[in-house]
Amino acid sequence: MNADDVAACWEGNAETWTIYSRAGYDLYRDALNTPAFLTMLPPVAGLKGLDLGCGEGTNTRAVARLGARMTGLDIAPTFLRHAREAEARDPLGIDYVLGDGRSIDFPEASFDFVTAFMSLMDMADQRQVLKGIHGVLRPGGFLQFSILHPCFVPPSRKNIRNDAGEPVAVEIADYFDETDGRVERWLFSSIPAEERAGLTPFAVPRFHRTLTTWVAMIVEAGLTIEALGEPMASEEMAEKEPIVADTRVAPIFLHVRARKG
């Protein structure tokens, strides 16, 4: 699958994704993943940042509220339309740019940091993307990104539940199958069944890599890993939002921060 195919998938997802994620149905993001990401993020007030694969801009805006001067880049025009409309309603000084992560079209050393919320695993040619990130970072700048955990969410994963429906284990397979754009089709699981029946599932192209490959690509790009995170829901959060309870069995997300020397 090439970048044009990836763009077509995400443009096809963008309208429904925006509506339902903004309506609060992306519980993994809102209850766990983004809060953990922001907790791990170093101070960014006054810094210039790039959000790579910004989507409809919710996470970009969260970083901007921490005082950063943000630019968002995405491959899907509909996502960017929604992001720009949100910026017009409530300005945070964010610029949104249409572009492909494989060819980040900014001058060398343009940014103090780059964020990528759950986007790198869906991009073709991640080696090239990481090299491009290195190029636009200033010396001493950092990249922080989140992805599906390659060890615990490989191409095949199944939650094992007890008689009460509670997650107690995870079955995984195909970890070493480094897929290049295998399309996975799903909807946010918290969308009510009566609404789900009338929706077209998202078509999400996935470029799974092993943990070994991720580390190798980061190092080859000239970045040094300095922090990792594996968000786990608290007991209180798992009780309040049972959907995220499986993160207490094994992590679903991996957060990585790497710095340009």
Side-chain angles (χ1 to χ4, degrees), residues 75-225:
I75 203 168
T78 295
F79 271 146
L80 293 178
R81 173 173 57 81
H82 283 291
R84 289 166 179 154
E85 289 172 354
E87 174 67 15
R89 289 191 299 268
D90 181 16
L92 293 172
I94 304 171
D95 293 323
Y96 289 103
V97 178
L98 181 67
D100 180 354
R102 296 182 310 161
S103 54
I104 304 174
D105 192 19
F106 296 100
E108 289 282 312
S110 293
F111 298 99
D112 299 300
F113 69 96
V114 174
T115 53
F117 291 80
M118 301 300 290
S119 58
L120 285 179
M121 76 254 184
D122 298 335
M123 295 184 185
D125 198 355
Q126 291 140 339
R127 278 186 169 82
Q128 184 63 33
V129 174
L130 288 163
K131 289 176 182 177
I133 291 170
H134 179 276
V136 300
L137 279 174
R138 293 170 181 160
F142 69 88
L143 160 69
Q144 185 168 308
F145 67 92
S146 55
I147 54 174
L148 290 172
H149 201 303
C151 301
F152 298 103
V153 195
S156 298
R157 172 192 165 100
K158 179 182 178 182
N159 282 330
I160 307 301
R161 301 181 182 275
N162 61 19
D163 292 340
E166 300 165 332
V168 295
V170 174
E171 177 184 285
I172 61 173
D174 303 320
Y175 171 71
F176 293 104
D177 181 8
E178 296 204 340
T179 56
D180 283 314
R182 189 178 85 170
V183 175
E184 299 177 351
R185 298 184 185 277
W186 49 272
L187 289 165
F188 300 132
S189 55
S190 58
I191 297 174
E194 60 272 19
E195 290 189 57
R196 292 168 62 88
L199 297 175
T200 300
F202 304 131
V204 179
R206 187 169 168 202
F207 297 80
H208 169 69
R209 301 290 178 258
T210 65
L211 184 59
T212 297
T213 298
W214 275 110
V215 171
M217 292 191 297
I218 293 165
V219 172
E220 288 169 12
L223 301 167
T224 301
I225 296 172

